[in-house]
Amino acid sequence: TSTTRVSSARWLAGQIAVDSLTLAWMLHHAGGMTNPFGSFFAFNAVIASIVLPLQLARGVVFALTSGVVLLTVLEASGALPPLCIQAARGFCVQPDALHLFAAGLSAAALTYGSSRFVLALVSSLALERERLRRSNVAVREEREKLSLIIEQMADVVVFADTHGVIRLHNRAALSLWPQGAPASQQLRVCHTHAAWQR
């Protein structure tokens, strides 16, 4: 039902939010936005773009991108300095503000850009799926009309494939078989052996 679908979409959005907050916490404790895993925010944005309804996906992507930018500004400004990474010699290596800012904005751009690309693909796929659905409905309606026309014709209509297998016959065609519709679906049952040979 639509209620279940909405509930499921909200649950997925919540899961993506929890995953993103966990990622932000881990990055902050491992060198901040200079950590190469900062690009993992893009994975969350792409997943949101694929599994969530369009409006909710856009909101989640905007929140993710805003969160990355906010964390970047807080870390680069020194308001919330990232915990440093221990160097091989055992001393703390604190990233500089410019490096933090550049890495954070790169992660934000990657997050937003990749999700926009995927959203465009998903939207295009949804339009194509709707066009295909409408085409299938139109074909089904035309097939039903044609079946009704053939069924109501006074003339006998029998359609057989190249192997002589009857694929379609109308009500008037039942006159070919005095005992009713043939048990066999072979066209040759309509004719004597000599007629079929001719």
Side-chain angles (χ1 to χ4, degrees), residues 3-187:
T3 306
T4 305
R5 198 175 305 129
V6 168
S7 175
S8 178
R10 287 183 181 155
W11 185 86
L12 286 169
Q15 183 64 49
I16 290 168
V18 168
D19 291 348
S20 299
L21 288 171
T22 304
L23 176 61
W25 182 84
M26 291 187 331
L27 287 174
H28 181 71
H29 287 81
M33 290 308 294
T34 58
N35 190 311
F37 292 108
S39 60
F40 277 24
F41 284 109
F43 289 125
N44 288 335
V46 166
I47 289 168
S49 301
I50 293 171
V51 300
L52 297 177
L54 187 60
Q55 286 301 108
L56 185 56
R58 285 180 177 157
V60 168
V61 167
F62 178 77
L64 273 171
T65 306
S66 299
V68 172
V69 170
L70 178 64
L71 182 60
T72 298
V73 168
L74 289 173
E75 287 182 351
S77 68
L80 186 65
L83 300 179
C84 59
I85 300 174
Q86 296 293 322
R89 296 187 189 113
F91 61 91
C92 185
V93 177
Q94 187 70 31
D96 64 286
L98 184 60
H99 191 184
L100 273 169
F101 194 70
L105 287 186
S106 296
L110 179 66
T111 299
Y112 184 75
S114 60
S115 65
R116 292 302 296 175
F117 178 74
V118 171
L119 278 172
L121 288 176
V122 168
S123 296
S124 175
L125 182 62
L127 288 173
E128 192 62 27
R129 188 180 301 132
E130 177 59 24
R131 187 190 67 75
L132 182 61
R133 187 195 65 76
R134 283 195 308 264
S135 295
N136 285 338
V137 167
V139 166
R140 194 177 316 115
E141 288 173 355
E142 289 301 314
R143 184 178 292 150
E144 288 171 4
K145 285 180 195 173
L146 183 60
S147 292
L148 284 172
I149 291 169
I150 290 172
E151 190 61 31
Q152 299 304 318
M153 289 175 68
D155 294 332
V156 171
V157 176
V158 176
F159 172 74
D161 63 17
T162 55
H163 302 290
V165 177
I166 298 171
R167 297 294 180 193
L168 173 91
H169 63 79
N170 66 353
R171 202 175 319 155
L174 294 177
S175 65
L176 297 173
W177 304 289
Q179 287 81 24
S184 168
Q185 287 297 312
Q186 289 292 323
L187 184 60

Side-chain angles (χ1 to χ4, degrees), residues 191-198:
H191 305 281
T192 64
H193 180 71
W196 180 259
Q197 291 298 342
R198 284 199 307 274

